[in-house]
């Protein structure tokens, strides 16, 4: 079966998908997953925070926002040797993509000089490169493309309707513009969102419609489960029904058949059984390593045991950089 991806998904259609009986939804997602991917292979990415804390944005979920007291120290840009060392470690642990995140609203051109050097040292290790630096101008995107950046991560986070409850310092339109600059520069797009912020099922459908009507679809779609960090406005949010999380993964797989759907933040609090359901629903990528940007992720021994329990293997590097 070969599938032609659709880019005309409507809110009603995606909402109907999320409302389907669970077994029907998972069966459809797994069928599409098998047609488009090796169901037993998982792409493995590693994260590194290159500039931590003190961010001027007010994203209500984020421990790095300067608006909230989360006990996180503001740090300077990491030096090149630390990045090289982390990239080496990522290679040894079997990761194929290295994603660097900075707590910026947008990088200055000077910030970008440092990031370009970092991308170069990560590429030297043969890793795919991804960065997430906030908003980008078209010139900045072009610069990142010229230095060989493979992916840019910039999330839409939630539906356009719910977005204003979560962030007031930058608009949905700002985010869509940055994504367009990234696309126009020829960089692959990593774009997803966060579930469990108090949004409705309709909002989860709304996020997926925004992603699945992009043409082409984002190559990577990270689906994060909110990490409820004390001190942030969402620190006390009621936990999302885990099966609702699985449903959203399944609907992401159905609507964006060829994208890598990443089971992203939030795995630390998931059982192996819940993660297994996410893989059955079509997730085929994870963040690996004991820390995400600033919060804990499962330790590597636990992830190795999980892969072994489920008969999963790490996907080999598909685009050697150097
Ligand atoms: N500052 C840049 C930006 O926002 O574009 C890049 C770094 S930011 C930390 C990257 C993404 O991490 C956010 O878009 C959000 O989706 C995710 N994230 C941040 N805090 C989170 C949390 N507490 N739980 C789940 N995901 C989170
Ligand atoms: C994404 O969607 N999730 C990652 C990555 N892109 C940059 C970040 C998760 C951050 C979780 C909170 C933290 O560790 O600070
Ligand atoms: Fe800043 Fe990014 Fe955190 Fe928002 S998500 S506060 S932009 S680091």
């Amino acid at each position: 079966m070969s599938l032609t991806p659709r880019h005309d998904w409507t809110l009603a259609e995606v909402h109907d998908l999320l409302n389907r009986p669970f077994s029907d939804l998972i069966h459809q997602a797994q069928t599409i997953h098998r047609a488009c991917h090796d169901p037993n292979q998982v792409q493995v990415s590693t994260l590194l925070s290159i500039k931590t804390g003190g961010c001027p944005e007010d994203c209500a979920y984020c421990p790095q926002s300067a608006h909230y007291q989360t006990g996180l120290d503001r740090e300077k840009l990491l030096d090149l040797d630390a990045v090289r060392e982390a990239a080496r470690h990522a290679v040894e642990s079997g990761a194929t993509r290295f994603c660097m995140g900075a707590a910026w609203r947008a990088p200055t051109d000077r910030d970008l000089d440092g990031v370009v050097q970092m991308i170069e040292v990560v590429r030297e290790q043969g890793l795919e490169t991804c960065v997430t630096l906030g908003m980008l101008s078209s010139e900045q995107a072009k610069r990142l493309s010229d230095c060989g950046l493979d992916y840019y991560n910039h999330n839409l986070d939630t539906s356009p309707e719910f977005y204003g409850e979560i962030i007031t310092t930058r608009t949905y339109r700002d985010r869509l513009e940055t994504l367009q600059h990234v696309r126009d520069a020829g960089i692959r797009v990593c774009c997803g969102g966060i579930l469990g912020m108090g949004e409705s099922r309709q909002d989860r459908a709304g996020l997926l419609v925004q992603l699945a009507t992009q043409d082409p679809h984002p190559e990577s779609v990270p689906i994060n489960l909110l990490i409820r960090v004390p001190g942030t406005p969402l620190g006390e949010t009621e936990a999302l029904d885990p099966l609702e999380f699985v449903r959203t993964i399944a609907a992401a797989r159905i609507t964006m058949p060829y994208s890598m759907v990443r089971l992203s933040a939030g795995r630390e609090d998931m059982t192996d059984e819940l993660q297994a359901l996410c893989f059955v629903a079509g997730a085929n990528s994870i963040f690996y390593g004991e820390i995400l940007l600033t919060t804990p992720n499962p330790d590597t021994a636990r992830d190795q045991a999980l892969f072994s329990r489920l008969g999963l293997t790490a996907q080999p590097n598909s685009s050697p950089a150097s």
Side-chain angles (χ1 to χ4, degrees):
M1 177 167 82
S2 121
L3 261 168
T4 310
R6 284 180 49 196
H7 303 277
D8 59 352
W9 291 95
T10 66
L11 189 58
E13 277 179 307
V14 178
H15 198 239
D16 283 353
L17 275 181
L18 289 173
N19 280 333
R20 293 191 69 189
F22 189 76
S23 297
D24 292 351
L25 175 63
I26 302 303
H27 176 71
Q28 187 182 353
Q30 173 66 197
T31 306
I32 289 177
H33 190 46
R34 283 178 176 269
C36 304
H37 303 270
D38 178 338
N40 302 311
Q41 251 187 23
V42 173
Q43 188 274 329
V44 175
S45 295
T46 291
L47 274 173
L48 177 69
S49 180
I50 54 168
K51 162 68 187 76
T52 304
C55 183
E57 300 295 284
D58 69 353
C59 312
Y61 47 76
C62 188
Q64 304 201 67
S65 166
H67 295 256
Y68 319 123
Q69 304 292 324
T70 62
L72 204 71
D73 287 334
R74 180 197 192 115
E75 290 170 18
K76 289 197 307 220
L77 190 65
L78 225 56
D79 70 43
L80 217 49
D81 286 339
V83 173
R84 189 178 290 109
E85 195 43 45
R88 246 189 233 134
H89 184 71
V91 172
E92 277 162 20
S93 71
T96 54
R97 193 179 305 168
F98 194 77
C99 176
M100 296 181 276
W104 290 323
R105 169 176 166 79
T108 62
D109 290 341
R110 207 167 137 235
D111 291 332
L112 225 53
D113 294 340
V115 174
V116 164
Q117 289 182 316
M118 290 178 179
I119 291 168
E120 281 160 3
V121 306
V122 173
R123 277 167 57 81
E124 279 164 17
Q125 305 289 324
L127 288 160
E128 292 180 328
T129 50
C130 175
V131 296
T132 178
L133 315 171
M135 294 189 286
L136 286 187
S137 67
S138 53
E139 294 73 24
Q140 290 178 321
K142 179 80 179 47
R143 189 144 177 239
L144 290 172
S145 171
D146 288 346
C147 81
L149 179 70
D150 297 302
Y151 292 83
Y152 194 82
N153 167 245
H154 197 61
N155 290 339
L156 289 174
D157 281 344
T158 190
S159 68
E161 293 75 22
F162 191 65
Y163 182 87
E165 305 282 313
I166 305 297
I167 298 143
T168 69
T169 48
R170 74 159 71 117
T171 65
Y172 214 80
R173 182 185 287 258
D174 289 333
R175 289 187 186 250
L176 291 168
E177 264 174 26
T178 289
L179 290 168
Q180 195 56 51
H181 295 155
V182 169
R183 242 330 149 209
D184 291 346
I187 302 168
R188 281 171 274 183
V189 170
C190 171
C191 182
I194 310 181
L195 312 185
M197 298 194 293
E199 77 286 345
S200 64
R201 187 177 270 184
Q202 180 88 359
D203 290 313
R204 290 187 278 280
L207 167 66
L208 291 179
V209 167
Q210 290 294 323
L211 298 170
T213 53
Q214 290 177 27
D215 188 4
H217 293 151
E219 282 78 5
S220 278
V221 178
I223 306 289
N224 297 277
L225 178 62
L226 174 70
I227 298 178
R228 292 170 291 169
V229 180
T232 63
L234 298 183
E236 306 282 316
T237 308
E238 200 184 321
L240 179 70
D241 171 3
L243 294 182
E244 195 61 28
F245 186 85
V246 179
R247 280 181 180 277
T248 312
I249 297 260
R253 169 51 65 228
I254 293 166
T255 52
M256 294 170 278
Y258 291 99
S259 300
M260 303 304 285
V261 174
R262 185 172 308 125
L263 174 51
S264 302
R267 289 196 305 113
E268 168 81 340
D269 290 331
M270 293 182 192
T271 62
D272 280 9
E273 292 78 8
L274 175 57
Q275 294 184 64
L277 268 180
C278 292
F279 292 127
V280 172
N284 61 348
S285 171
I286 59 164
F287 284 123
Y288 182 69
E290 301 180 1
I291 183 153
L292 289 164
L293 290 173
T294 67
T295 62
N297 200 36
D299 64 49
T300 52
R302 180 178 164 205
D303 276 344
Q304 283 163 10
L306 174 69
F307 272 42
S308 157
R309 277 183 95 188
L310 301 178
L312 296 173
T313 52
Q315 187 187 69
N317 196 340
S318 55
S319 66
S322 42

